[in-house]
Each structure stands twice: as C-alpha cells, then as structure tokens.
Amino acid sequence: MKKIGILGFQGAVVEHERQIQALGHEPVIVKYPEQLDVIDAIILPGGESTTMGKILNRTGLMAPLREKIVGGLPVWGTCAGMILLAKDLVNDSVTHLGVMDISVRRNAYGSQIDSFSTKQVIPAVDSKEIELVFIRAPYITKVEDGVKVLCELDGHVVAAEERNMLVTSFHPELTDDVTFLKYFVSKIK
Ligand SMILES: NC(=O)CC[C@H](N)C(=O)O
C-alpha cells in the first residue's frame, strides 16, 4: 500500500482521494511541509493554478515541494497541476513550481463553457480507451528533450512524462475509471 499525497488547498481533491482509496492505497491531504516526508508520491489536482501558487508560497510549501520533486518524488499534475509543474508558461505568469521541461498554454481550450470530454487510447497507459475530461484545460505547446509525449489530441500534447513527473491536461479523477491512477502508481518505487 502506498501513501499518495494530494495537494489539498483547493480543486479536485476529494475526487483523487476516492480513486486512491478505491485502488487500496492511502490518500494523504497535503497542506504542510512536514507531510512531504511521509508520502511516496504526490498529486497536484485540477483547480485554479493562480490560487494554488499563491497558497504554496504563503504556507512555505513551494520550496520544499520543489526540492522533493527535483529529488525524485513521483508527481502527477492534472490540469492546474500541469501548469504548476511547467517550466515555461506561454501566455501567463503564475507563481509556480517550474520543474518540468514543457511549455504550457493556460486555458488553451477557452473558458468553462468550452469544457468537453472525449475518448482515446493512450498506448503507454492501457490498450483500452479511456475517457478524457477537459475543463478550462491547458495544453503543452512544446516539450524539451527527455520529455515523453503520452497523448495528443488534435495535434496538441495533452499528456506527457519526464523522469518522475507525469502531467495530464485532462481529469481522470472525474471519471469512474482508475486506469490512469494505476499507471501513476506503477511509477512509484
Ligand atoms: N480544471 C483546471 O484545473 C483548470 C485550470 C485553470 N484554468 C487554471 O488555469 O489554473
């Protein structure tokens, strides 16, 4: 059983928590730096990246979290979490972690009403189709060497990984399919 942290300030925290429990692992809602020492991995959920960035700074979690990720802590950023992880934000300046070698466009698919869902096979993850839910989603405009593209949609990269870092524009936790979470867990040593 793995202890999987979820950055717990706001956003889709409960949804990740439920999926982690459904897979038989232990969710830990992370709000304080000390908690980083007891988890095997961490999920940065969807929500509002500007708010999460500000709270990360205010709580003193930004620097230790960045250090843990650079040191190899497995991390999965969904949507706003992807924005927090990207080194380069092409259309915005958000206070963020800036650790993964990708360029990201915030709100790339438009506003809340432009949210949508589609189905696709992500071969690295599973041979069956999974549902991809996009909510005011970002996409990746550029990946540097060392970043593996996992999924593209209409020519835009919407899932990728680099070493211990995994990012998705979409929200697997808002479906009742735990396939993507299983994939993340398989990356935890
Ligand atoms: N569903 C989401 O996480 C949306 C992300 C949000 N648009 C942001 O910029 O942070």
Side-chain angles (χ1 to χ4, degrees):
M1 186 165 87
K2 304 287 184 199
K3 284 193 180 185
I4 303 178
I6 310 161
L7 186 66
F9 299 139
Q10 60 102 232
V13 178
V14 176
E15 291 82 354
H16 278 295
E17 189 178 21
R18 277 196 205 115
Q19 284 206 341
I20 291 166
Q21 283 163 341
L23 267 190
H25 297 287
E26 185 186 334
V28 179
I29 310 295
V30 174
K31 293 186 179 177
Y32 306 101
E34 313 78 85
Q35 292 174 289
L36 296 175
D37 295 325
V38 301
I39 52 174
D40 301 307
I42 189 163
I43 293 174
L44 311 180
E48 205 43 61
S49 54
T50 46
T51 308
M52 281 192 250
K54 279 183 202 151
I55 307 179
L56 278 171
N57 271 339
R58 207 182 304 144
T59 54
L61 202 56
M62 184 74 91
L65 177 56
R66 186 182 289 129
E67 205 174 294
K68 284 280 179 191
I69 294 171
V70 171
L73 180 72
V75 59
W76 172 21
T78 49
C79 204
M82 171 196 270
I83 296 166
L84 290 174
L85 287 170
K87 271 196 187 158
D88 179 39
L89 301 176
V90 296
N91 60 338
D92 240 316
S93 61
V94 172
T95 304
H96 69 306
L97 293 158
V99 286
M100 185 167 173
D101 260 332
I102 52 174
S103 299
V104 166
R105 179 176 295 276
R106 276 187 79 203
N107 300 321
Y109 291 99
S111 64
Q112 193 82 26
I113 51 163
D114 301 309
S115 299
F116 63 99
S117 134
T118 183
K119 286 191 172 165
Q120 196 160 311
V121 174
I122 304 178
V125 172
D126 203 278
S127 56
K128 69 171 175 27
E129 275 191 331
I130 60 172
E131 188 182 356
L132 313 179
V133 178
F134 293 82
I135 303 170
R136 285 180 304 123
Y139 60 61
I140 298 171
T141 57
K142 191 165 167 234
V143 302
E144 304 297 335
D145 290 348
V147 177
K148 181 178 170 195
V149 171
L150 296 177
C151 181
E152 285 185 53
L153 185 72
D154 301 329
H156 299 298
V157 177
V158 293
E161 64 188 358
E162 180 187 22
R163 299 189 306 275
N164 54 313
M165 298 173 278
L166 172 68
V167 289
T168 56
S169 298
F170 47 87
H171 290 265
E173 80 286 2
L174 299 185
T175 71
D176 49 21
D177 184 352
V178 292
T179 307
F180 210 95
L181 176 60
K182 262 191 203 159
Y183 177 69
F184 177 54
V185 172
S186 77
K187 294 167 66 71
I188 306 171
K189 293 196 184 73

